[in-house]
């Protein structure tokens, strides 16, 4: 590699050549006063050591890394068609994997499983050039109250699928030319998920969250533009249906000199999700039911009523909510999600692989202790979360509040003071503290069982 001493060209016999001959390729010898990378034309002073080849050819480390990334990307691109469609999962297999993370919502899981399965089959069908039938995609609209599992379903799908998957947010989108993100930025996220492999990204799935936030802000005809509501819906129309979109690689239009990436959205499956607050009142007026009032119903009746109303949602109700007809027409599958009751919230805390109880037991195992929630305590936590009306999201805040003191003190306790801590309804209601009850000592058999469970 050239250095300050061996590329001066003078001071040695033979015109600067070592041993009277030319330096072998790949060695550290140099024959020029100033060595440049043959690819990027940068001096060794700017990029560091150069690797020498035959005929005064040099390459720097930056170019080597760039070449390696290009080769890796090409290798991945060529490998996608072989690995992607070898084994298409059945709808039942997809639903079984969703069941490990998401409680209830059987109808939504079936709808998503069938849609994803058909998406795979559509891609396989598209690779057949002699096919006489064209298979169109069916985009999906998920409707449900907050904390019922819409985003969790999307994240779980992203984990188990073999196609690129991206989650976008509709709240930051604005009409093109205004401050905010353009709709093409959602496609850019899919490109990132596919490592900028365009062919693979054009087979992907996109989940757009908070889609109800781009509803029309007013039904009155006005001369002002609704740049973050109806304007976004209109910008999304061609993308949902299928078009060749210009995707800016650096996002937005802040860099007008950048070259756009041409991306075909015809085979991209779009799943949209939103809370649609107030939609139940629109449905209730249509079907002739009284709107839900304060004190008129119990919580169970309210949940049953809300679930029954959402189950009867039609495109006309969503149209009255503030979505434009062209947008609704491009989301043919409308799937409502049911509100969660107390039993479902208890299951959420114990059954899934990422359940709260399992997470906290793992925290305690790391400290050489154990944790147990009584069934009554779990019901008490679920009831308190239900009153917050934030769905499953309210569970963590309540459990965090209950466990704060013991998690603060536990690392400082000696091994004798650690054991099995039992959380009861009184502790959840703050009537007692975990410190008031001495922990149950762990027997050697219990400790070994605990290690086996964690393993």
């Amino acid at each position: 590699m050239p250095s300050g001493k061996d590329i001066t060209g003078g001071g040695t016999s033979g015109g600067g050549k070592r041993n009277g001959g030319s330096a072998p390729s790949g060695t550290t010898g140099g024959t020029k006063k100033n060595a440049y990378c043959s690819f990027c034309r940068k001096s060794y002073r700017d990029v560091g050591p150069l690797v020498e080849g035959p005929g005064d050819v040099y390459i720097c480390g930056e170019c080597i890394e760039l070449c390696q990334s290009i080769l890796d990307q090409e290798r991945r691109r060529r490998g996608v068609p072989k690995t992607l469609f070898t084994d298409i999962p059945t709808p039942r297999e997809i639903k079984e994997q969703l069941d490990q993370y998401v409680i209830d919502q059987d109808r939504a899981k079936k709808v998503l499983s069938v849609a994803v399965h058909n998406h795979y089959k559509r891609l396989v069908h598209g690779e057949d050039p002699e096919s006489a039938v064209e298979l169109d995609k069916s985009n999906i609209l998920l409707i449900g109250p907050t904390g019922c599992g819409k985003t969790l379903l999307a994240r779980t799908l992203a984990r188990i699928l073999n196609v690129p998957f991206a989650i976008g947010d509709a709240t930051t989108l604005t009409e093109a030319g205004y401050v905010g993100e353009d709709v093409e930025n959602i496609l850019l996220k899919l490109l990132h998920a596919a490592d900028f492999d365009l062919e693979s990204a054009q087979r992907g799935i996109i989940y757009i969250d908070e889609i109800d936030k781009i509803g029309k802000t007013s039904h009155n005809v006005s001369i002002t533009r609704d740049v973050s509501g109806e304007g976004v819906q209109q910008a999304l129309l061609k993308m949902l249906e299928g078009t060749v979109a210009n995707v800016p690689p650096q996002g937005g239009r802040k860099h007008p000199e950048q070259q756009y990436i041409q991306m075909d959205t015809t085979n991209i499956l779009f799943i949209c999700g939103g809370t649609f607050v107030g939609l139940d009142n629109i449905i209730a007026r249509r079907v002739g039911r009284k709107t839900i009032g304060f004190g008129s119903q119990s919580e169970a009746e309210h949940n049953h009523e809300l679930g029954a109303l959402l189950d009867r949602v039609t495109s006309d109700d969503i149209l009255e909510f503030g979505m434009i007809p062209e947008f609704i027409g491009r989301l043919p599958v409308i799937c409502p999600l049911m509100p969660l009751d107390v039993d479902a919230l208890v299951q959420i805390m114990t059954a899934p692989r990422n359940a709260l109880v399992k997470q906290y037991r793992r925290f305690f195992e790391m400290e050489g202790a154990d944790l147990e929630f009584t069934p009554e305590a779990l019901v008490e936590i679920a009831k308190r979360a239900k009153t917050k009306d934030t769905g499953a999201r309210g569970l963590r805040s309540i459990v965090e509040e209950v466990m704060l003191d013991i998690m603060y003190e536990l690392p400082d306790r000696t091994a004798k003071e650690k054991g099995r801590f039992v959380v009861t309804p009184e502790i959840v209601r703050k009537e007692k503290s975990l410190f008031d009850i001495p922990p149950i000592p762990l027997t050697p058999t219990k400790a070994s069982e605990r290690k086996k469970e964690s393993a």
Side-chain angles (χ1 to χ4, degrees), residues 13-121:
S13 59
K17 296 181 181 179
R18 295 183 176 180
N19 301 323
S22 62
S25 64
T27 63
T28 59
T31 60
K32 287 190 177 180
K33 196 167 187 177
N34 290 313
Y36 292 90
C37 175
S38 304
F39 291 81
C40 64
R41 307 306 299 169
K42 290 181 181 177
S43 170
Y44 76 96
R45 295 184 179 87
D46 300 326
V47 294
L50 304 174
V51 178
E52 183 183 354
D56 293 336
V57 174
Y58 300 95
I59 183 169
C60 66
E62 293 179 3
C63 291
I64 292 173
E65 291 177 3
L66 179 62
C67 295
Q68 184 64 42
S69 65
I70 292 172
L71 291 174
D72 290 342
Q73 186 174 340
E74 184 67 17
R75 202 174 292 118
R76 281 196 301 269
R77 189 185 68 79
R78 291 182 177 179
V80 165
K82 299 174 184 175
T83 59
L84 191 58
F85 308 119
T86 51
D87 184 22
I88 299 176
T90 64
R92 190 179 299 276
E93 290 172 350
I94 298 172
K95 183 180 178 296
E96 285 173 357
Q97 295 192 61
L98 289 173
D99 287 337
Q100 296 180 16
Y101 294 91
V102 185
I103 300 299
D104 280 359
Q105 313 300 359
D106 284 336
R107 181 180 170 188
K109 286 189 279 193
K110 284 182 180 177
V111 169
L112 288 175
S113 301
V114 171
V116 170
H117 178 74
N118 287 343
H119 181 64
Y120 277 107
K121 289 197 291 190

Side-chain angles (χ1 to χ4, degrees), residues 319-341:
L319 179 66
E320 189 177 345
F321 181 86
M323 313 306 281
I324 60 177
E326 302 95 319
F327 187 81
I328 301 169
R330 286 163 172 80
L331 296 166
V333 182
I334 300 175
C335 177
L337 279 77
M338 298 298 106
L340 300 168
D341 56 12

